[in-house]
């Protein structure tokens, strides 16, 4: 009996879980997978359409199905990690991501691919919130700052690298002997499987188990209302143009503010009664979180919209192949990586004004790309886009990793899963909005203006979003806690 009591005391007074270098590498690898998968499909869509005889509406569902289920379930994934253990959810979500990637790569029809993409988004929503929550709960001080900086760098690099990797894999034909010519698109999904197997092996050895000390039960009404709010907004925006804006799209958009208001009312009532709702309104009392999230929205809308539009413009307008279309953004990825490594030192010296400088630099890069499109069309490719893409990549690297650190800097460890879920949901919803809004604008302008003028106009709209990001950055706390 005495030995049992002693063992119990040892467990309760044990050192808190620590995320070592190998564990950090593993969770960052997992963080890259869902973001790469969101963007890797952009350059594969034309090939998917030809191989599966898929309509434009169906192709948009391949993108939107993943993004919607991912965005809708992210906060719930964070809550379940707090409740049942983040390592457990991480391993389960990663395994499910591998299986659903396999299903996508083997899909025999367009509808099967859409269904597999929806399931893949749900798996991502179980896995990704555990990454940030584990970093928050198992690191502290400078180690946490470094880990958060690396997370932001990984996220930004993954979004660009996904499109580059997609172009290379679509052009490769290692599976043609199994599926026939023109099936390189399957590789963009199947490549996830061996990566997931490695990730599961490493995670089982190096990722510590963490959970909230006072877990709350799942907020059923809040979960349903958040899902309904996101669906009423994102579904019509992503499918409306291709479907011809039928009545349901307008009814859905009209319902959005009412559903969102009902969600806020339910969450506020639960918060006031001492329960922990899915998205606690009291969390938004944190200035760093509130203002950081406000900045993530226009940044992510512009980022994803640009990536979608440039992939379509280079392939369908400038006649570039998938490899050339993907590699045209290689300078952005390379510069983003190296500049993001310097980000922590710059923040330590200059504070969050680094974000303002990053927005200004990104604006110069977008303007240079707009000028390149105007003067070089249709001879637009790697060389013509290089100056603008490189400058824009430097500006983005000074914003995204820093803003991620700011958003979670004051979130208590007990609410790490909730805080990370809210941040990633905001980012993912904004990424989906970017494809829906800037993508729809671009495709709507093409018939009347032509591909070049539609591209330049869309880039100028993105430039306005970059200016808004810069203005919002002036309201960020000067230092990061």
């Amino acid at each position: 009996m005495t030995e049992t009591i002693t063992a119990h005391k040892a467990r309760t007074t044990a050192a808190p879980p620590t995320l070592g270098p190998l564990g950090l590498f593993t969770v960052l690898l997992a963080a890259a997978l869902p973001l790469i998968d969101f963007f890797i499909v952009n350059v594969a869509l034309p090939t998917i359409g030809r191989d599966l005889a898929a309509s434009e509406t169906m192709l948009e569902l391949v993108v939107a199905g993943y993004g919607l289920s991912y965005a809708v379930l992210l906060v719930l994934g964070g809550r379940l990690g707090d409740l049942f253990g983040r390592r457990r959810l991480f391993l389960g979500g990663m395994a499910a991501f591998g299986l659903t990637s396999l299903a996508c790569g083997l899909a025999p029809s367009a509808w099967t691919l859409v269904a597999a993409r929806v399931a893949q988004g749900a798996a991502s929503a179980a896995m990704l919130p555990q990454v940030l929550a584990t970093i928050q709960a198992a690191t502290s001080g400078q180690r946490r700052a470094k880990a958060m900086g690396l997370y932001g760098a990984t996220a930004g690099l993954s979004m660009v690298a996904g499109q580059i990797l997609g172009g290379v894999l679509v052009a490769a034909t290692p599976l043609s002997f199994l599926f026939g010519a023109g099936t390189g698109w399957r590789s963009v999904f199947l490549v996830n499987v061996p990566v997931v197997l490695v990730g599961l092996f490493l995670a089982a050895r190096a990722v510590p188990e963490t959970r909230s000390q006072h877990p709350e039960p799942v907020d059923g009404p809040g979960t349903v209302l958040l899902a309904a709010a996101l669906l009423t907004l994102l579904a019509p925006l992503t499918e409306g143009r291709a479907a011809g804006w039928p009545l349901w799209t307008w009814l859905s958009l009209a319902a959005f503010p009412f559903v969102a208001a009902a969600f806020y009312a339910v969450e506020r009532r639960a918060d006031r009664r001492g329960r922990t709702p899915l998205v606690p309104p009291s969390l938004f009392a944190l200035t760093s979180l509130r203002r950081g999230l406000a900045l993530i929205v226009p940044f992510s809308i512009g980022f994803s919209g640009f990536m979608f539009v440039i992939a379509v413009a280079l392939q369908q307008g400038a006649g570039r192949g998938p490899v050339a279309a993907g590699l045209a953004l290689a300078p952005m990825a390379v510069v983003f990586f190296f500049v993001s490594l310097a980000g922590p030192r710059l923040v330590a010296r200059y504070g969050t004004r680094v974000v303002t400088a990053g927005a200004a630099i990104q604006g110069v890069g977008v303007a240079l790309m707009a000028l390149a499109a105007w003067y070089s069309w249709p001879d637009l490719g790697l060389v013509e886009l290089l100056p603008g893409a490189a400058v824009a990549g430097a500006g983005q690297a000074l914003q995204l990793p820093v803003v991620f650190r700011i958003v979670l800097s004051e979130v208590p460890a007990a609410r790490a899963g909730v805080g990370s879920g809210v941040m990633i949901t905001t980012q993912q919803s904004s990424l989906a909005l970017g494809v829906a809004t800037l993508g729809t604008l671009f495709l709507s302008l093409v018939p009347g203006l032509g591909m070049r003028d539609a591209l330049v106009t869309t880039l100028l709209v993105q430039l306005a979003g970059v200016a808004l990001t810069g203005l919002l950055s002036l309201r960020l706390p000067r230092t990061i806690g």
Side-chain angles (χ1 to χ4, degrees):
M1 181 67 179
T2 304
E3 291 179 355
T4 303
I5 294 173
T6 304
H8 175 73
K9 287 182 178 179
R11 286 195 300 269
T12 57
T13 58
T18 301
L19 186 67
L22 183 60
L24 178 61
F25 170 81
T26 305
V27 296
L28 291 180
L29 176 68
L33 287 174
L35 287 168
I36 286 176
D37 235 61
F38 184 86
F39 288 94
I40 202 171
V41 178
N42 283 347
V43 292
L45 289 176
T47 311
I48 293 173
R50 288 191 297 270
D51 187 43
L52 298 183
S55 65
E56 185 180 353
T57 302
M58 190 65 67
L59 291 177
E60 290 205 3
L61 279 174
V62 171
V63 178
Y66 176 83
L68 284 172
S69 64
Y70 186 16
V72 163
L73 297 172
L74 270 167
V75 179
L76 178 61
R79 173 59 63 82
L80 292 175
D82 287 350
L83 187 62
F84 296 111
R86 293 160 189 146
R87 181 176 180 272
R88 182 181 300 178
L89 261 290
F90 179 80
L91 290 169
M94 181 175 276
F97 186 85
L99 291 173
T100 52
S101 296
L102 181 64
C104 289
L106 301 179
S109 66
W111 275 114
T112 308
L113 178 58
V114 170
R117 285 284 282 172
V118 171
Q120 191 184 34
S124 298
M127 175 176 64
L128 190 59
Q130 319 316 326
V131 173
L132 280 171
T134 299
I135 290 174
Q136 287 289 100
T139 61
S140 60
Q142 282 300 112
R143 291 185 64 252
R144 179 183 295 176
K146 181 180 179 181
M148 286 301 302
L150 288 172
Y151 174 85
T154 300
L157 187 61
S158 299
M159 291 189 280
V160 183
Q163 205 138 306
I164 298 171
L165 181 62
V168 173
L169 290 174
V170 168
T173 56
L175 302 176
S176 58
F177 70 97
L178 286 176
F179 301 104
T183 58
W185 65 268
R186 297 183 184 275
S187 300
V188 306
F189 300 113
L190 295 177
V191 72
N192 293 331
V193 177
V195 178
V196 164
L197 291 175
V198 172
L200 287 171
F201 175 78
L202 294 177
R205 293 172 175 268
V207 176
E209 180 65 281
T210 64
R211 68 181 71 203
S212 174
Q213 295 300 311
H214 305 286
E216 295 281 345
V218 172
D219 175 14
T223 301
V224 172
L225 285 170
L226 177 62
L230 291 173
L231 285 172
T232 54
L233 175 65
L234 296 177
L237 288 177
T238 52
E239 287 300 304
R241 187 198 62 83
W245 296 106
L247 179 61
W248 74 264
T249 59
W250 299 108
L251 292 176
S252 182
L253 288 172
F256 167 69
F258 298 101
V259 179
F263 169 70
Y264 178 75
V266 166
E267 299 297 272
R268 185 175 61 176
R269 183 167 63 249
D271 211 10
R272 287 177 173 175
R273 291 180 177 178
R275 300 196 298 269
T276 302
L278 190 70
V279 181
S282 58
L283 207 60
F284 290 87
L286 301 174
T287 302
S288 55
L289 180 136
R290 186 175 66 252
R291 294 182 180 178
L293 290 179
L295 194 148
I296 284 176
V297 172
F299 180 91
S300 299
I301 287 175
F303 196 111
S304 64
F306 166 78
M307 298 295 284
F308 175 80
V309 167
I310 202 69
V312 174
L314 289 177
Q315 290 189 88
Q316 297 183 8
R320 304 289 179 183
V323 175
L327 291 179
L329 298 177
M332 181 180 289
V334 172
V335 174
F336 185 102
F337 175 74
F338 285 106
V339 174
S340 64
L341 295 179
R345 292 193 300 273
L346 293 172
V347 170
R349 183 170 181 180
Y350 300 108
T352 59
R353 288 299 176 260
V354 168
V355 179
T356 308
I361 294 170
Q362 184 190 1
V364 172
V366 173
L368 288 174
M369 286 189 285
L371 288 172
W374 179 263
Y375 287 108
S376 301
W377 191 266
D379 299 318
L380 191 65
L382 172 62
V383 175
E384 292 77 16
L385 289 172
L386 191 152
V391 173
Q396 291 162 349
L398 294 176
Q399 296 175 79
L400 192 63
V402 181
V403 173
F404 282 168
R405 281 181 58 191
I406 292 169
V407 170
L408 296 178
S409 61
E410 296 180 300
V411 176
R415 287 187 165 183
V418 178
S420 61
V422 169
M423 186 183 79
I424 303 169
T425 298
T426 302
Q427 182 199 20
Q428 183 60 38
S429 301
S430 301
L431 291 175
L433 270 176
V435 175
T437 53
L438 290 180
T440 296
L441 172 67
F442 170 72
L443 294 173
S444 299
L445 292 174
V446 168
L449 297 181
M451 191 71 73
R452 183 196 71 170
D453 290 359
L455 174 59
V456 172
T457 302
T458 307
L459 287 174
L460 293 177
V461 172
Q462 186 197 355
L463 190 58
V466 174
L468 175 60
T469 302
L471 291 173
L472 289 172
S473 71
L474 296 174
R475 301 182 69 247
L476 293 173
R478 290 300 299 268
T479 59
I480 302 177

